[in-house]
Amino acid sequence: LEFRRVLFRSAWIHAAGTAMFEAGRRPIKPHDQWIWFAVEAGEATLVWQGHELTLKQQETCFLPAGNRDAALQIDESVRCVWIALEG
């Protein structure tokens, strides 16, 4: 028989919140944690290092930790949910 040691990593919530944004461009500040970001209602375009990703209601993405050139572009109002993960 061969035994193998398996290591499991876990993650936990560092911080979480919701936000309502009106039309405009909002910079994304540098952060030390990975961020799970979701659009709850409306539509937002994530501008990430020159690339654009449009997120509509109930669509999500992850934002890597670090200092990157990033912003949210909102054409109309949008409601967002975010969770910063540690681990």
Side-chain angles (χ1 to χ4, degrees), residues 38-56:
V39 173
E40 193 172 11
E43 184 175 303
T45 300
L46 173 65
V47 181
W48 188 265
Q49 295 183 315
H51 302 281
E52 292 187 1
L53 174 65
T54 299
L55 297 169
K56 298 177 182 176

Side-chain angles (χ1 to χ4, degrees), residues 16-74:
T18 62
M20 288 288 298
F21 295 112
E22 296 300 322
R25 187 178 179 94
R26 306 289 187 281
I28 297 175
K29 297 179 182 178
H31 46 277
D32 295 329
Q33 298 81 22
W34 278 68
I35 306 290
W36 174 78
F37 180 80
V39 173
E40 193 172 11
E43 184 175 303
T45 300
L46 173 65
V47 181
W48 188 265
Q49 295 183 315
H51 302 281
E52 292 187 1
L53 174 65
T54 299
L55 297 169
K56 298 177 182 176
Q57 183 175 345
Q58 298 183 348
E59 293 184 330
T60 69
C61 69
F62 275 96
L63 308 177
N67 185 8
R68 306 229 174 28
D69 179 26
L72 282 177
Q73 180 65 45
I74 294 112

